[in-house]
Amino acid sequence: MATASLIHAPCGYSRKFSYNLRNGVYGGAAGSTSYSPSSSSCSCCSSQGLNFSSGVKSNCKGQGLRAQAMNTTIQGNFASPKAIVNSNTEPDHLLVLVHGILASPSDWTYVEAELKRRLGRNFLIYASASNTYTKTFSGVDGAGKRLADEVMQVVKKKDSLKRISFLAHSLGGLFARYAIAVLYSEAALSTGQSSDTTDSTLPSSQAVRAARRGTIAGLDPINFITLATPHLGVRGRKQLPFLLGIPILEKLAPPIAPIFTGRTGSQLFLTDGKPNKPPLLLRMASDCEDGKFISALGAFGCRILYANVSYDHMVGWRTSSIRREKELVKPPRRSLDGYKHVVDVEYCPPLSSEGPQFPPEAVKAKEAAQKEPNTRNTVEYHEIIEEEMIHGLQQLGWKKVDVSFHSAFWPFFAHNNIHVKNEWLHNAGAGVIAHFADSLKQQETSSLIIASL
């Protein structure tokens, strides 16, 4: 059992910049800036002797290149007719779309059409179909493993694929985080020889990048993007906004949630497992015996969090943007140029941290929260675990994009607006779709430039 006390690391976030992807400019009081993240490591132990460690280099830069509209044709693929393939040139970049709770691939209809129009022939856009509707109740780990198997089937059927990215909404972001840990392969040996999963047909510079970071499903990981995902769970004040922050409702929700949402509910409320075992979401903020979750995330060239600052009835701003309560400042009300309802972009560089721990006080707090879920017990437990999850996840650099639908006709649809679940009802999120489509496009362009060097 670990005996280390909690570490309350400072926020360490860089000052905010408004980033215009179309103009390629960071706007700030002091003009442009650059950052070269350094490697970081962590280790921690739980009462069961879990050994958490990571040694990851991360980099998330934008070159700000304007997206070009191109057309592709739609073809069928594994488990879903939602794959987009260019008939003239075989795609080499797999983009996996992962839906949220009680949803299906049809949630991505609008997004697929827009990405098809904007991204061009290099992308195979695939909407996951392995965790539809009530399958989302089987637990983050169960759904994550199914998603990993599905992705591997897609990769095996398309020999042309060299790169991979994920775009996930809500609970799907947690499924994707688990899946990439299952699909992760270690980086090549320092001798310069590639690992078994590194494709020898990759352009030399691209192969070097893939070997240095490790691979996902044998492919070079490029972007990991989540939209309104509860990365810190939904326990705590206003983390599940439809409870309105009312203490009695937030007290009753954790024991009731598993009745309706199965294992997934207990995992989201951090009450899964025995008292002396860290909850799954805490383990997923580390490299541990369950999987190399941090190394897998760190393998991606860029990690982006889109978070609703208000009006999201399902997922709070704090958990979707991986921030502490004190770090939530009043967001701008004006949208970025060309991206309606996208109000701010912040790059948070990696911070040195000992990573997540599960100290004795956390064991006691979890047991109390499970047996006697009164307000005092649940608040104490949540505060401990949330801080530890942040310690683990802040070891990586993140681009955090704040979204505000305060001026939308139906602002309370924010959770579905952010990915335009229905083109007619949730079209307020069109600017958000354009923003991450342009992010993907400029990342694709920069990858091609690097590969040609």
Side-chain angles (χ1 to χ4, degrees):
M1 179 182 300
T3 58
S5 59
L6 293 177
I7 301 172
H8 295 275
C11 172
Y13 292 153
S14 60
R15 57 193 175 86
K16 292 192 174 183
F17 295 88
S18 294
Y19 180 50
N20 189 324
L21 286 167
R22 293 184 175 178
N23 298 324
V25 176
Y26 281 100
S32 63
T33 186
S34 63
Y35 178 79
S36 298
S38 59
S39 61
S40 60
S41 61
C42 74
S43 62
C44 77
C45 303
S46 74
S47 57
Q48 290 190 336
L50 289 176
N51 213 351
F52 299 159
S53 64
S54 68
V56 181
K57 285 189 176 181
S58 63
N59 193 6
C60 187
K61 295 181 180 180
Q63 280 73 29
L65 300 174
R66 184 184 298 271
Q68 310 254 335
M70 299 182 182
N71 290 322
T72 61
T73 59
I74 300 177
Q75 298 179 357
N77 207 332
F78 172 78
S80 167
K82 298 291 184 178
I84 300 176
V85 185
N86 186 277
S87 59
N88 299 320
T89 303
E90 287 295 301
D92 68 356
H93 193 156
L94 173 62
L95 174 58
V96 182
L97 309 181
V98 189
H99 62 72
I101 196 167
L102 283 175
S104 72
S106 63
D107 284 24
W108 294 109
T109 300
Y110 175 84
V111 172
E112 282 185 315
E114 277 298 291
L115 294 180
K116 169 190 170 182
R117 184 177 69 86
R118 291 170 176 268
L119 295 182
R121 62 181 179 271
N122 290 329
F123 280 83
L124 168 64
I125 302 174
Y126 179 81
S128 168
S130 60
N131 291 301
T132 54
Y133 305 114
T134 56
K135 287 183 180 179
T136 56
F137 296 161
S138 64
V140 172
D141 47 350
K145 291 173 184 176
R146 284 195 296 271
L147 175 60
D149 289 340
E150 184 179 13
V151 171
M152 281 305 305
Q153 291 298 321
V154 175
V155 172
K156 289 176 181 177
K157 289 187 175 185
K158 297 297 295 184
D159 294 335
S160 62
L161 296 174
K162 309 300 178 188
R163 292 167 289 164
I164 188 169
S165 293
F166 284 80
L167 173 63
H169 174 246
S170 192
L171 183 60
L174 296 179
F175 295 167
R177 279 177 53 194
Y178 197 98
I180 63 173
V182 175
L183 297 169
Y184 174 73
S185 295
E186 294 279 5
L189 299 175
S190 58
T191 59
Q193 296 188 356
S194 61
S195 64
D196 292 339
T197 55
T198 301
D199 194 324
S200 60
T201 64
L202 285 173
S204 59
S205 58
Q206 187 176 330
V208 169
R209 287 194 302 118
R212 185 179 68 244
R213 295 199 310 250
T215 61
I216 302 295
L219 307 179
D220 185 19
I222 306 299
N223 293 287
F224 189 88
I225 305 172
T226 63
L227 312 170
T229 289
H231 289 285
L232 306 178
V234 296
R235 178 182 286 277
R237 183 173 180 271
K238 294 186 178 180
Q239 295 288 66
L240 196 58
F242 74 78
L243 298 179
L244 305 176
I246 300 174
I248 186 63
L249 294 180
E250 294 186 340
K251 168 188 171 182
L252 293 174
I256 293 176
I259 299 174
F260 298 99
T261 56
R263 295 181 66 242
T264 301
S266 61
Q267 290 168 351
L268 288 173
F269 279 100
L270 312 174
T271 55
D272 54 300
K274 296 180 180 179
N276 62 349
K277 185 175 183 179
L280 178 63
L281 294 192
L282 178 59
R283 304 198 302 274
M284 286 175 60
S286 66
D287 283 353
C288 66
E289 61 186 12
D290 295 282
K292 295 193 173 182
F293 298 103
I294 287 295
S295 291
L297 271 174
F300 287 85
C302 192
R303 291 159 298 280
I304 309 177
L305 306 172
Y306 285 80
N308 284 315
V309 304
S310 59
Y311 294 106
D312 190 323
H313 61 287
M314 294 294 293
V315 179
W317 183 17
R318 190 167 83 247
T319 185
S320 57
S321 64
I322 312 180
R323 291 185 173 110
R324 300 172 178 87
E325 184 73 35
K326 64 183 180 182
E327 295 163 0
L328 300 179
V329 297
K330 187 176 181 180
R333 297 183 68 84
R334 183 177 179 180
S335 301
L336 301 185
D337 184 27
Y339 304 107
K340 191 173 183 181
H341 301 303
V342 177
V343 296
D344 201 16
V345 178
E346 178 185 13
Y347 175 57
C348 300
L351 295 180
S352 178
S353 170
E354 291 188 11
Q357 301 178 35
F358 196 61
E361 55 265 37
V363 176
K364 294 179 181 178
K366 182 179 180 181
E367 184 174 17
Q370 287 177 330
K371 292 182 177 180
E372 300 179 51
N374 57 50
T375 302
R376 181 181 62 82
N377 289 341
T378 56
V379 168
E380 179 186 8
Y381 174 58
H382 170 258
E383 289 177 348
I384 294 174
I385 300 302
E386 181 181 85
E387 187 65 22
E388 293 305 320
M389 286 188 289
I390 292 175
H391 284 161
L393 294 171
Q394 72 182 2
Q395 294 173 100
L396 302 173
W398 296 90
K399 182 187 289 185
K400 302 184 178 183
V401 183
D402 291 329
V403 178
S404 176
F405 290 104
H406 69 276
S407 61
F409 186 74
W410 298 108
F412 288 100
F413 289 168
H415 192 68
N416 290 326
N417 285 345
I418 201 169
H419 75 306
V420 191
K421 180 175 181 177
N422 180 287
E423 182 176 0
W424 305 109
L425 194 60
H426 308 112
N427 58 12
V432 180
I433 308 304
H435 189 270
F436 67 67
D438 284 355
S439 295
L440 288 166
K441 185 63 179 180
Q442 61 87 17
Q443 185 73 14
E444 173 77 2
T445 305
S446 65
S447 295
L448 294 175
I449 291 173
I450 291 173
S452 67
L453 294 178

